Amino acid sequence: MANTKKRIVVEGLTREFVLPNDKLQRVSDLLLHEFKCGLNNEPSTLKMLITFVRDVSNGTERGKFLALDLGGTNFRVLLIELDSNKFGMDNEIFAIPQEIMLGTGQQLFDHIAECLLKFADSRNLPKNLPLGFTFSFPCRQEGLTKARLITWTKGFKCSGVENEDVVQLLRESMRRLDVHIDVVAVVNDTTGTLMSCAHKSPDCRAGIIVGTGTNACYMERLDNVRTWNGERDEPSQVIINTEWGAFGDNGCLNYLRTKYDHEVDACSLNPGLQLFEKMISGMYMGEIARRIIVEMIEQKLLFKGNTSEKMNTPYAFKSKYISEVESDPKHSYTQTKLVLKKMNIEGADEDDYECLRLICTRVSTRAAHLVSAGIATILNRMQRPHTTVGVDGSVYRYHPHFHKLMEEKISELTNPEYKFGLMLSEDGSGRGAALVAAVACREHEQ
């Protein structure tokens, strides 16, 4: 088969990943419908959870604050010092072993409490510092310091945590291990991202994560939140955590899901759930690409039909490999060759490299465009003259073209009256949790 012919076949077989604007507009319309249903307490795939965070930092917060950022296979402990607009930060990353991710809730929170103790002791920190806890899993928030886990995602399966208050579980572990820290707020990583960016850019009103998982939050008018039972004092607003990873779980996105999406979902820990997330996030992007690659190998369209045990292993083709392949300049294949070496694929030629790059580009561009449709929905709903959108997560941070793809597509899908800017949340959601803690302490003192 001639080289260009091979590429044309691969191009044709992956064309369903290309989403024109009419399909993306339909995504946006469906998402808006789910937003409204969730806010009105009507059946919706979106939980539209109230965060109880009513305001962003105003720059008057002072003091030392801790943050605990749990949302993936690692967690961070941060120490933040606020003094006028100056910002000091120290942090440490701790791993969560697989056996703890799949063990009991007590094991998980004891491990976290031990690491908090280690962090505090190694820095001679005073007792009872306020801590903001970023817990990046779907929770039903019942107050600023009360959040019940609805369901584990992202590979966690700890027993005895679902339907329990995670702040209470953390406090119990801290009590057991004699850790003296005051948990003053629990937030989702998207809320943390919004708060973190708002400290630098006061018009930030949306937070987006595109990493291991994907999610979004934004500031909603209280008048639109039928589920709100609290005070209606100023500011008449609250941050809503959409949990948009579950968008499409009712089948409304089946019109654009491919057979590869169906396969990845069927073999996942949570079949039928988090379907929007499974088309976007770093947890699944590499696996979608791997399944396309394997099929192309079977059809003798790649690597002369030669495969490897690693390439046939689910999840062995990591999402970061997509970023690496796509970071090669045109007609240069340094990173692509290194990725294939890691996958134990030998004897690839230039045409294979080009086809591999095409597959990776199809998967990542679709992810960027789906996220963009979601952000456009939020901007069109808020109807603000200018909004900064805080974005964090490994896919957005490390993929070479994600930011540009999103900027272009959001512009196409958003009413031109509503200007926006995308802002990388420099130091992740941990800093945002500390800022929520700082705002909580400021409001308490007032």
Side-chain angles (χ1 to χ4, degrees), residues 31 38 52 130 148 151 179 211 229 273 280 293 309 336-337 349 356 360 377-378 399:
L31 185 62
F52 293 87
R148 292 183 189 277
T151 178
V179 182
N229 296 318
L273 301 175
I280 291 167
I293 294 162
E309 190 181 336
T336 304
K337 287 174 185 174
D349 59 24
L356 181 62
C360 290
T377 308
I378 289 171
H399 186 280

Side-chain angles (χ1 to χ4, degrees), residues 367-385:
H369 287 172
L370 286 170
V371 170
S372 302
I375 295 172
T377 308
I378 289 171
L379 294 171
N380 288 330
R381 177 165 181 79
M382 289 195 296
Q383 301 178 345
R384 291 165 52 89

Side-chain angles (χ1 to χ4, degrees), residues 273-324:
L273 301 175
Q274 301 293 110
L275 297 183
F276 192 56
E277 179 167 272
K278 283 171 182 163
M279 290 191 278
I280 291 167
S281 78
M283 179 101 180
Y284 305 99
M285 209 192 279
E287 177 60 7
I288 293 169
R290 187 195 69 83
R291 286 177 179 271
I292 301 168
I293 294 162
V294 167
E295 184 170 306
M296 301 299 163
I297 293 170
E298 286 169 356
Q299 293 187 29
K300 304 275 192 293
L301 292 168
L302 278 178
F303 319 131
K304 304 175 188 67
N306 297 321
T307 188
S308 66
E309 190 181 336
K310 197 157 186 192
M311 189 60 90
N312 289 331
T313 305
Y315 292 93
F317 192 86
K318 297 182 170 63
S319 293
K320 69 173 182 178
Y321 295 169
I322 290 180
S323 297
E324 288 166 11

Side-chain angles (χ1 to χ4, degrees), residues 19-123:
L19 302 177
N21 282 359
D22 60 337
K23 276 194 173 180
L24 291 170
Q25 187 55 55
R26 189 173 166 202
V27 170
S28 192
D29 294 343
L30 289 163
L31 185 62
L32 181 62
H33 175 73
E34 296 290 307
F35 274 13
K36 289 175 177 173
C37 289
L39 291 170
N40 287 331
N41 214 7
E42 293 164 10
S44 170
T45 57
L46 303 189
K47 299 200 168 65
M48 301 303 281
L49 304 167
I50 292 167
T51 64
F52 293 87
V53 178
R54 303 276 300 277
D55 210 355
V56 295
S57 163
N58 66 5
T60 65
E61 299 82 8
R62 302 281 181 280
K64 284 184 176 175
F65 304 91
L66 286 166
L68 167 62
D69 182 8
L70 172 67
T73 47
N74 296 319
F75 71 92
R76 290 192 306 158
V77 181
L78 301 93
L79 172 66
I80 280 169
E81 207 160 342
L82 292 177
D83 179 17
S84 69
N85 273 329
K86 288 209 281 293
F87 202 92
M89 191 172 97
D90 177 18
N91 75 105
E92 196 173 331
I93 294 174
F94 298 93
I96 303 176
Q98 181 79 4
E99 60 270 20
I100 288 181
M101 286 173 74
L102 302 173
T104 68
Q106 186 174 324
Q107 286 172 314
L108 175 68
F109 287 103
D110 281 1
H111 174 63
I112 290 167
E114 275 169 27
C115 295
L116 279 169
L117 186 60
K118 225 179 278 181
F119 183 89
D121 284 354
S122 66
R123 289 158 180 80

